[in-house]
Amino acid sequence: MTDLIWIIPLVVGSLLFVLLAIALVRTFRAQSVPIPRPIRNLDPDREQMLAEKLGKMIRVVTIADKDHPDPAPFLELQQVMASLFPKVFATMEKTVFPSGSLLFRWSGASRENSILLMAHQDVVPAPAEGWKHPPFSGEYADGEVHGRGTFDTKGTLFAFFQAAEELIDEGFIPAVDVWLASSTDEEVMGRGAAETVRWLRERNIHPALVLDEGGAIVDGVLPSVRRPMALLGVLEKGYIDLRVVARSHGGHSSTPPKNTPLARLAKFVVDIEKHSPMKSRMIREVRDLFANAAPSMGFAYRFLFGNLWLFRPLLTWLLPKINPFGGALLSTTVAFTRAGGSEANNVIPSEAWLVLNLRPHPIQPMEASIAAIRKVAGRRGLEVEILEARDTTPIVDSHSPAFGFLVDTVRAVFPDVLISPYVILGGTDARHYQEICEATIRFSPLRVTNADLKKMHGLNESIPVDVVDEAVSFYRHLITHAR
């Protein structure tokens, strides 16, 4: 028995040594050498043409307003687009919906299949203060077009319209129907995309591939990654707003009882922050993201993320604790966004409230996430009201022919990038299209850095013209190879 006590830790230690040795060997073998970005010798005339055309679209101030929609700016933008892309407007069948959203059909040689490309016309507000160039100037300076919407998403909208314009001018006829869709109210979660999907569904139109915004080609998406990554969004997390209410008999602040409404809400917040009721799990799509990035990471990160067979439980436990982005990929997130109580400084409120914004994860979808919050709230005698709720979207099969076609297109146009499925943390119009297309993928063929991502919905949004030209090349390749 005494000998056995010594043998057990020896065996465990030996096994651990062997596992770590295997992981080290795999880490050394998995290293990826960065591939230089292809040099684009952009003709000066083309550069100027692209910049001027996109600039004209940026100068139209298409700010969406859900409560007081104004069609005039969008009508102006569509008139500008008609002048910029005359062959598209003359060749394709155009449908305009009550919301102002657009749908174009480019008839292909065969009606048996189709693809649909999307981008929205509306933008978020942009106060002029703090911008190096006025936010709706569309100015071209330092190789970039400046202004609100250059990345989100007039740049993408311009790119696929320009690709179609050039191909029509060359006499090209697509092998399949090509649809171009653009809503006017994506930023306010409006009805434009839903209108378009309803119209397509009524006509039994089910594209083989739908491509919307969401992922992009991101430089520095994960720590120490030395190659850009094309992130193909295959899943969109849900959206929930909850109002949590605490009630009491109120009273004067000079004689406060214990557990007043605000105190109970504070304890509830601490409960959620310290002991999250949300599960964490690394689903296959997140695992693929880490595994695809690992060969291009620095040694320490490559050792961990390149050996998920060994370190997956550790990373699943650790990432939500040290990194908000990691936590968002692995679980439902909870953010406290608004609060209210008494209207007087010396009155204990009879009712106090706060609002939580949740982004449900497929491992704990909408109903399960709400139930988890209700359970914690119930322990503090709090009520939970649902203000708005939508669930996660279905996950696109990353082994489907449509996904494979998109991967081949990315490789052909962007040979220097890594490619991976991705989880979209925000919301897009694409969620509506999954009713009619299983391969609804969120990806804009635009190169961005982390600094660029901070500009979206922020200050000094801009896009390099060579990035726009690459995007046009991507859509040309996609359209000409679609079958």
Side-chain angles (χ1 to χ4, degrees):
M1 180 64 72
T2 303
D3 292 340
L4 186 60
I5 292 174
W6 286 101
I7 290 174
I8 292 175
L10 181 62
V11 171
V12 172
S14 299
L15 179 60
L16 180 60
F17 176 81
V18 170
L19 292 175
L20 291 175
I22 293 171
L24 280 170
V25 170
R26 286 170 52 88
T27 302
F28 281 113
R29 288 181 174 177
Q31 186 171 5
S32 171
V33 177
I35 299 172
R37 177 181 174 181
I39 297 173
R40 298 186 74 84
N41 295 314
L42 198 57
D43 178 81
D45 291 339
R46 180 172 177 80
E47 178 182 347
Q48 192 65 33
M49 177 271 292
L50 294 173
E52 287 181 359
K53 291 179 75 169
L54 177 56
K56 288 180 180 179
M57 292 174 62
I58 299 302
R59 282 191 279 277
V60 185
V61 184
T62 52
I63 298 173
D65 187 334
K66 192 170 187 177
D67 297 323
H68 304 94
D70 181 4
F74 298 98
L75 178 60
E76 180 184 353
L77 175 61
Q78 291 163 20
Q79 290 171 341
V80 168
M81 292 173 65
S83 69
L84 298 177
F85 313 111
K87 291 180 172 58
V88 169
F89 277 71
T91 302
M92 299 189 191
E93 302 170 25
K94 182 180 73 169
T95 302
V96 183
F97 296 96
S99 65
S101 297
L102 294 173
L103 181 65
F104 288 80
R105 180 181 190 168
W106 188 4
S107 296
S110 169
R111 295 290 179 92
E112 295 181 3
N113 212 344
S114 65
I115 62 172
L116 187 146
L117 310 176
M118 298 169 57
H120 56 86
Q121 303 163 54
D122 58 314
V123 300
V124 297
E129 295 79 12
W131 286 72
K132 295 177 182 177
H133 301 268
F136 293 101
S137 65
E139 289 182 7
Y140 181 47
D142 303 319
E144 300 190 31
V145 178
H146 297 262
R148 175 63 82 228
T150 46
F151 264 118
D152 188 14
T153 60
K154 286 182 181 177
T156 307
L157 181 66
F158 168 80
F160 62 67
F161 267 85
Q162 179 64 27
E165 182 77 7
E166 293 175 7
L167 290 171
I168 293 171
D169 187 51
E170 294 166 12
F172 175 78
I173 298 175
V176 300
D177 279 3
V178 177
W179 297 88
L180 309 181
S182 182
S183 72
T184 58
D185 49 15
E186 190 274 348
E187 296 289 5
V188 293
M189 295 186 288
R191 61 193 176 99
E195 283 179 338
T196 307
V197 169
R198 184 165 54 251
W199 188 94
L200 291 166
R201 187 178 61 245
E202 288 171 353
R203 288 154 181 79
N204 199 31
I205 296 165
H206 297 273
L209 171 67
V210 170
L211 200 57
D212 191 17
E213 64 167 328
I217 299 171
V218 185
D219 197 1
V221 65
L222 293 172
S224 80
V225 175
R226 294 173 294 171
R227 289 176 63 181
M229 291 197 73
L231 304 175
L232 313 185
V234 296
L235 161 68
E236 188 173 305
K237 294 181 74 175
Y239 183 99
I240 303 170
D241 284 328
L242 300 178
R243 186 171 184 264
V244 179
V245 182
R247 305 186 192 277
S248 77
H249 296 295
H252 198 277
S253 62
S254 61
T255 55
K258 298 293 184 182
N259 288 320
T260 61
L262 285 173
R264 284 153 53 207
L265 287 175
K267 292 174 182 176
F268 167 75
V269 171
V270 171
D271 288 343
I272 298 292
E273 291 279 307
K274 284 194 171 183
H275 307 286
S276 174
M278 301 306 171
K279 303 173 183 176
S280 290
R281 188 186 309 160
M282 191 180 294
I283 60 174
R284 185 182 73 180
E285 290 69 26
V286 175
R287 180 200 66 199
D288 289 348
L289 170 64
F290 293 147
N292 291 335
S296 190
M297 288 178 163
F299 181 83
Y301 286 102
R302 191 164 74 250
F303 180 64
L304 290 172
F305 289 97
N307 292 286
L308 291 175
W309 60 276
L310 181 59
F311 296 117
R312 184 172 175 176
L314 172 64
L315 290 170
T316 301
W317 173 82
L318 186 61
L319 282 174
K321 294 174 173 56
I322 63 174
N323 185 279
F325 177 67
L329 289 175
L330 298 176
S331 66
T332 295
T333 55
V334 181
F336 300 95
T337 57
R338 299 176 59 214
S342 173
E343 295 183 1
N345 293 341
N346 63 345
V347 175
I348 296 170
S350 59
E351 177 182 302
W353 56 270
L354 55 81
V355 171
L356 291 72
N357 178 255
L358 283 68
R359 302 299 173 104
H361 193 283
I363 65 167
Q364 200 168 7
M366 182 177 68
E367 291 185 3
S369 291
I370 294 173
I373 295 296
R374 286 191 190 278
K375 185 175 181 180
V376 178
R379 294 200 293 263
R380 301 294 180 185
L382 307 175
E383 302 170 16
V384 177
E385 303 173 4
I386 302 173
L387 303 179
E388 184 173 350
R390 67 170 184 263
D391 214 342
T392 60
T393 63
I395 300 176
V396 176
D397 182 5
S398 59
H399 295 92
S400 66
F403 190 89
F405 168 57
L406 182 57
V407 168
D408 291 342
T409 305
V410 173
R411 284 188 178 135
V413 182
F414 305 98
D416 59 310
V417 309
L418 301 170
I419 305 172
S420 178
Y422 182 63
V423 176
I424 301 300
L425 306 181
T428 71
D429 274 345
R431 67 184 182 277
H432 297 287
Y433 283 79
Q434 293 198 241
E435 294 180 29
I436 60 171
C437 176
E438 293 181 355
T440 298
I441 302 172
R442 289 86 167 160
F443 173 69
S444 295
L446 303 176
R447 292 182 185 266
V448 298
T449 64
N450 286 319
D452 294 323
L453 294 174
K454 292 176 182 178
K455 294 178 183 179
M456 298 182 197
H457 291 206
L459 298 175
N460 299 313
E461 186 178 351
S462 62
I463 189 170
V465 172
D466 63 339
V467 168
V468 176
D469 189 51
E470 273 188 312
V472 174
S473 296
F474 169 86
Y475 286 117
R476 285 179 58 102
H477 192 283
L478 190 81
I479 293 169
T480 55
H481 289 78
R483 297 292 183 271

